[in-house]
Amino acid sequence: MPSSSVKRQRRRKRRNMEDGGDPEFQVAPMVDVLLVLLLFFMSITSTELLKKEKHLELAQAKNATPQDKKPKTDEIVLNVGWEPKNKTAIFTMDGMQYPNADAMQGILADRLKQNPRSYVLIRADKDVEYSNIADVMNACASVGISTVTFAVITGGATDNKPAGAPEGTPQQ
């Protein structure tokens, strides 16, 4: 026959089991936290991908110097693609396409007002005519952006790493 202390322990156990018992590992809140983290990282990744155009083939430069380690918040990425059928340049910035470089001046001016340290990174297709690049540079100069850099593939045909990219970065 169990002693009175053992009976009390059993009663406490039964009461604890009825009241919810010992706390157990809750899976639902952990899944919620993981989904929030997943959405956060997906949103960050998609904003970075908007700056890159897959159809661009960057020019190669054997003697390119790596870009300084500037914060990415200061960077304004302008993509200049080339349409070989029509022999026209395609200007894009932040996923928006513009008919010419002058059409981007208003947005460039706004971005410069928001961040006076802004600089422009031009990612131009290797087939784009120089006059189109000059138009982009003139548009930058007209709004007061004095620092313009170019994304190129360094090291010639064997190395497909853009200038200024950290080690292990694939071609942009």
Side-chain angles (χ1 to χ4, degrees), residues 147-166:
T147 305
V148 177
T149 60
F150 294 90
V152 295
I153 297 173
T154 59
T158 58
D159 187 6
N160 289 334
K161 185 183 76 164

Side-chain angles (χ1 to χ4, degrees), residues 75-88:
E75 186 176 80
I76 303 170
V77 179
L78 300 177
N79 294 304
V80 185
W82 184 250
E83 181 63 43
K85 293 177 186 174
N86 303 336
K87 294 188 178 184
T88 58

Side-chain angles (χ1 to χ4, degrees), residues 55-144:
H55 66 274
L56 288 181
E57 287 188 46
L58 299 178
Q60 296 180 2
K62 292 179 183 175
N63 299 324
T65 57
Q67 182 180 5
D68 293 337
K69 300 286 182 189
K70 295 181 182 179
K72 294 288 182 185
T73 56
D74 297 345
E75 186 176 80
I76 303 170
V77 179
L78 300 177
N79 294 304
V80 185
W82 184 250
E83 181 63 43
K85 293 177 186 174
N86 303 336
K87 294 188 178 184
T88 58
I90 302 167
F91 301 93
T92 57
M93 179 174 51
D94 296 333
M96 296 288 300
Q97 190 168 335
Y98 298 91
N100 55 39
D102 293 334
M104 297 185 287
Q105 285 183 356
I107 290 139
L108 289 172
D110 290 342
R111 297 276 297 270
L112 187 61
K113 284 179 189 174
Q114 291 174 0
N115 186 354
R117 296 179 308 189
S118 294
Y119 67 96
V120 171
L121 172 68
I122 299 175
R123 299 185 73 252
D125 192 275
K126 65 180 182 177
D127 296 327
V128 171
E129 295 177 354
Y130 173 75
S131 62
N132 296 309
I133 304 299
D135 291 342
V136 172
M137 292 172 64
N138 288 332
C140 292
S142 67
V143 298

